[in-house]
Amino acid sequence: MEMNKRKIIFGIVASALFCLITANNVSSQDVRFTQVFADPLMFNPAVMGMNPDPVFILHYRGQWTMLDNGYTTSSFTALYPIYINGGKRKLDVGVNLMQDKSGAFKSINAMLAIGYNLQISHSGFVNFSMLGGYVQQSLNTADLTFDNQYVSGSYNSNNPTNETVLNHKISYPDMGFGAMYYFNPTKDDGAKLNAYLGASAFHLAKPNESFTAASAMMPLRISYQGGIKFIGNKQMDFTPNVIVTTQKNSLSAAIGIYMDYHLAANEKAVVGLWVRRNDAIAVHIGYEYKNFIFGYSYDMPISDIKNYFIGANAQELSLAYKIHRSKKKEEKSAPSFENPSTK
């Protein structure tokens, strides 16, 4: 048991060092969240395996709102576990609905995930999940202006743009996959830590998202994640996390830590800090009371963009509702790894 703990710690620490050494500034085509566990299916659908109870999550992100209303993303996620054979095998289903808006552009995603969870040792579990759905993107060309419509410094919407004719809407299917291993000893084992290590891939079919007759394939996004929850005294726990993401020729990395402070048996506060190299530093606060979980995060840019305009920050709000189901005797060994949004 002690040797297994050392291997887990070494692997995740090595991943963290890899992030710090190799990560470069990145501009990804997908939405990047600070509260990744508030949109778990778009982070890694295999996160469902760590969740023993039904959870419903509302999540909102506003970025660069001072710049022509910036970018706004809102989503709804539902996770529902179905137990089979106690805690040794489990099926999970999840739904994610997301809307992403930026100026004249809007994207709506509807995704369904299914996962299979298997206990492979006394304290070890693996989960494999598939994600699939449909994406609709639209472009409101009436809100677009072009240089050719300005004559002698005056704008006239009736002036021809001489631009390629654009489609107003496109739609396509999309698919993703996730796998995760997590180490989750019970309290009876005198557990001092939990841990997880996973990988996920999105846009497996590389869909064409061009609004013209040209081809613009969405590049494959691959993400690697790891974290350790150090269980301290009865009041305080620490959870360092690391995320590495690649998409096309870009590489991004984020390292973060959460601190849980248990106020009572069914109440606690969460404080977190995330650092995305050459991008931003984010602070996170959360509060959990009985079935409700609230989270707020604020991103402060550390890249060169802060030198060009004021307000290049981002804020996120999340609200989750968790249904604590009664535990039957055959479900006592069901996985119960806690993460910052579903614990």
Side-chain angles (χ1 to χ4, degrees), residues 178-193:
M180 184 166 287
Y181 167 82
Y182 53 100
F183 177 72
N184 183 36
T186 64
K187 293 181 179 180
D188 295 337
D189 297 329
K192 294 298 182 181
L193 65 84

Side-chain angles (χ1 to χ4, degrees), residues 49-126:
M50 300 192 295
N51 182 53
D53 298 307
V55 179
F56 305 91
I57 310 170
L58 292 173
H59 186 205
Y60 172 83
R61 177 179 174 87
Q63 183 174 355
W64 302 358
T65 54
M66 298 296 292
L67 182 63
D68 194 24
N69 295 325
Y71 303 85
T72 59
T73 306
S74 53
S75 69
F76 167 77
T77 301
L79 308 178
Y80 195 92
I82 303 172
Y83 292 103
I84 299 178
N85 190 23
K88 298 184 181 300
R89 295 181 177 87
K90 179 166 74 82
L91 286 177
D92 298 274
V93 293
V95 175
N96 177 266
L97 303 175
M98 180 186 297
Q99 176 179 273
D100 186 33
K101 295 182 66 177
S102 171
F105 173 81
K106 181 170 69 172
S107 176
I108 298 176
N109 301 18
M111 296 290 171
L112 175 66
I114 184 167
Y116 178 72
N117 204 72
L118 177 66
Q119 183 176 5
I120 59 175
S121 65
H122 178 69
S123 302
F125 300 83
V126 292

Side-chain angles (χ1 to χ4, degrees), residues 43-245:
F43 167 60
N44 184 338
V47 168
M48 293 190 298
M50 300 192 295
N51 182 53
D53 298 307
V55 179
F56 305 91
I57 310 170
L58 292 173
H59 186 205
Y60 172 83
R61 177 179 174 87
Q63 183 174 355
W64 302 358
T65 54
M66 298 296 292
L67 182 63
D68 194 24
N69 295 325
Y71 303 85
T72 59
T73 306
S74 53
S75 69
F76 167 77
T77 301
L79 308 178
Y80 195 92
I82 303 172
Y83 292 103
I84 299 178
N85 190 23
K88 298 184 181 300
R89 295 181 177 87
K90 179 166 74 82
L91 286 177
D92 298 274
V93 293
V95 175
N96 177 266
L97 303 175
M98 180 186 297
Q99 176 179 273
D100 186 33
K101 295 182 66 177
S102 171
F105 173 81
K106 181 170 69 172
S107 176
I108 298 176
N109 301 18
M111 296 290 171
L112 175 66
I114 184 167
Y116 178 72
N117 204 72
L118 177 66
Q119 183 176 5
I120 59 175
S121 65
H122 178 69
S123 302
F125 300 83
V126 292
N127 184 279
F128 300 95
S129 297
M130 290 295 300
L131 177 75
Y134 216 69
V135 179
Q136 182 182 81
Q137 296 181 348
S138 60
L139 187 66
N140 185 358
T141 56
D143 291 342
L144 299 178
T145 61
F146 301 89
D147 290 343
N148 295 334
Q149 294 175 299
Y150 289 86
V151 178
S152 300
S154 298
Y155 172 75
N156 188 337
S157 61
N158 294 321
N159 290 336
T161 65
N162 297 326
E163 297 292 332
T164 303
V165 176
L166 297 175
N167 298 319
H168 293 276
K169 288 185 179 181
I170 60 171
S171 56
Y172 52 83
D174 203 2
M175 295 180 61
F177 172 80
M180 184 166 287
Y181 167 82
Y182 53 100
F183 177 72
N184 183 36
T186 64
K187 293 181 179 180
D188 295 337
D189 297 329
K192 294 298 182 181
L193 65 84
N194 291 349
Y196 72 94
L197 192 62
S200 53
F202 299 88
H203 316 308
L204 296 180
K206 295 184 178 180
N208 183 11
E209 58 172 2
S210 174
F211 282 90
T212 69
S215 178
M217 300 299 181
M218 172 70 81
L220 185 69
R221 172 167 62 94
I222 301 176
S223 179
Y224 309 92
Q225 317 92 24
I228 304 174
K229 186 180 186 72
F230 293 98
I231 303 172
N233 53 35
K234 294 183 179 180
Q235 285 191 307
M236 194 172 297
D237 303 321
F238 296 90
T239 310
N241 297 266
V242 60
I243 303 171
V244 178
T245 302

